Amino acid sequence: MNTPPSPSGAEHTGGLSVRLGALVPLTRPGWVEAGRHLLAGLDLAVREVNDAGGIDGRPLELVVRDTAADPERAAAAVDELARLGVAAVAGEYHSAVARAAAARADALGVPFLCASAVLDALTEQPTEWVARLAPAQSHGWGIYADFLLGAGRRRIAVATQPSVYWASGTRVLRDYLAPRGGTVVELDTNALTPEALCDALVDHGATALLLLVGHPEPAVPIVRAVRGDRRLAEILIGAPAGQPEFAEWAALLGEDGAGIPFLRYLPERLGPLGERVGKELRERLGEAPSFVAFEGWDTVTVLAGVLRSHGTDRAAIAKSWPRVAVEGTRGPIRFSRTPGISVWQWAGTPIQVVDRAPAEPDRFRILHAG
């Protein structure tokens, strides 16, 4: 497996460094823009740890592996990183990929702090080895469903592709909306052209269409088709998975990509730490940092705190999850056990429903918070 050069500046420290494995989608079909933001956050935090003296005088080294959104590749990467002696594994954006990595980390006894993936069942059975910063899908997508109801949208169509992540999201929406008078109909984008999907939306009388599909294909053609169909002028297009978060969305769709609510894991206002880190991330990325970049920074900062307090022994790191108390960019981070969630979970993740302002696609509007 090819290794991109570690940007952490600790490549030549040999056995002196404390190694962290990093799983990041850096090539397609992975969501490359998300991977770039995640890596920027991971790397910035590593540099700050090393500038502050490292881990008891030893530099922290980030050993990066590109998952390319491939679960098998991610599982193999965890095997390789374990052999390389990493103290823990961090990162990953795609839920199906993170699930494969978590299962392998659990089997090998390697601590894994998941930055971004949201599947409730990140592992099949409860595990002590895995913790997560992103909110569980049932929690975040439930808040999104509550937003839909508040906006008077009860006849929901979901444009889907085969995936455990999209199937889980559909189930969360249906379970939340059905008892509250909402309905969910699935439209298979593998079987429907964007134009045929528009016809189906009219036939079903849908008041909202949720994009439970990949980006840019087929999400971008679907948005263009719906925006161009006069019959659907009043329909709300939504993207709970966060496709409009990144600059590529606005570049591809322009005004058509505005007014599409999505989930974002940021507070209404960042505190001093978040403001400082956000400024550094903006300089690194050359654009506004997404919430995924903050997730990356928080992930390394949590692990650095654990390594300083509990050492580099993998079992000791895993046992430390319930004792974590770290100030992150988006609030104080602590892990707990949540009913129905198989990993140690940060329950305090801030959650917003936002969109790009129709008149100013580069500006985000907060529509709902949970």
Side-chain angles (χ1 to χ4, degrees):
M1 187 180 300
N2 292 329
T3 309
S6 169
S8 62
E11 300 95 324
H12 306 297
T13 56
L16 295 176
S17 63
V18 177
R19 288 181 158 189
L20 284 183
L23 302 178
V24 188
L26 295 173
T27 54
R28 295 198 183 278
W31 198 337
V32 175
E33 197 171 7
R36 187 170 70 89
H37 280 236
L38 179 58
L39 183 57
L42 293 166
D43 182 53
L44 174 61
V46 167
R47 285 194 178 275
E48 292 188 358
V49 168
N50 288 336
D51 288 347
I55 307 300
D56 295 329
R58 299 167 63 189
L60 192 59
E61 178 185 356
L62 202 62
V63 185
V64 180
R65 291 295 179 268
D66 173 19
T67 64
D70 183 336
E72 292 184 6
R73 185 165 170 168
V78 175
D79 282 340
E80 183 196 6
L81 292 166
R83 290 194 301 271
L84 290 173
V86 299
V89 174
E92 192 45 44
Y93 178 80
H94 299 282
S95 280
V97 180
R99 187 173 68 157
R104 199 69 194 125
D106 182 42
L108 294 173
V110 177
F112 174 37
L113 179 51
C114 180
S116 294
V118 300
L119 276 178
D120 284 28
L122 200 57
T123 54
E124 293 295 331
Q125 302 295 330
T127 176
E128 299 298 316
W129 293 99
V130 182
R132 172 168 58 192
L133 289 178
Q137 191 174 24
S138 58
H139 180 48
W141 287 44
I143 288 170
Y144 192 91
D146 196 49
F147 157 74
L148 291 174
L149 293 173
R153 311 288 176 158
R154 282 175 163 72
R155 297 178 65 84
I156 312 301
V158 292
T160 63
Q161 289 178 301
S163 155
V164 63
Y165 174 58
W166 302 127
S168 173
T170 301
R171 187 167 56 251
V172 168
L173 292 167
R174 184 170 281 129
D175 289 349
Y176 192 94
L177 291 167
R180 296 166 175 84
T183 60
V184 175
V185 60
E186 294 182 60
L187 303 176
D188 181 0
T189 60
N190 285 0
L192 296 170
T193 65
E195 291 72 25
L197 187 140
C198 289
D199 292 338
L201 292 173
V202 174
D203 292 343
H204 288 290
T207 57
L209 168 66
L210 306 186
L211 302 170
L212 274 55
V213 294
H215 168 76
E217 297 288 337
V220 168
I222 289 172
V223 172
R224 287 187 179 134
V226 174
R227 292 294 201 213
D229 193 320
R230 292 182 181 178
R231 299 173 299 171
L232 300 171
E234 299 302 318
I235 200 167
L236 180 145
I237 307 175
Q243 294 95 324
E245 167 77 11
F246 297 96
E248 183 184 22
W249 177 271
L252 290 172
L253 282 165
E255 291 182 2
D256 282 349
I260 297 179
F262 63 95
L263 284 168
R264 177 168 79 162
Y265 308 132
L266 288 174
E268 184 176 354
R269 285 187 176 80
L270 292 166
L273 175 61
E275 289 283 359
R276 179 187 68 75
V277 171
K279 182 179 177 182
E280 295 277 350
L281 288 169
R282 180 184 284 273
E283 291 177 3
R284 280 174 170 259
L285 290 163
E287 62 187 14
S290 69
F291 69 85
V292 180
F294 289 98
E295 287 176 328
W297 193 94
D298 287 344
T299 298
V300 166
T301 300
V302 167
L303 286 171
V306 167
L307 290 166
R308 291 189 186 106
S309 300
H310 301 279
T312 59
D313 177 75
R314 291 171 178 171
I317 292 170
K319 289 179 182 176
S320 75
W321 298 134
R323 295 191 289 278
V324 164
V326 172
E327 188 62 32
T329 56
R330 299 163 296 148
I333 298 171
R334 292 177 171 79
F335 298 114
S336 59
R337 285 298 193 188
T338 303
I341 309 302
S342 60
V343 301
W344 287 98
Q345 178 69 50
W346 181 26
T349 316
I351 300 173
Q352 303 171 346
V353 178
V354 306
D355 70 359
R356 290 179 175 271
E360 304 173 71
D362 290 335
R363 181 174 68 85
F364 295 107
R365 303 183 301 181
I366 300 173
L367 309 175
H368 185 71

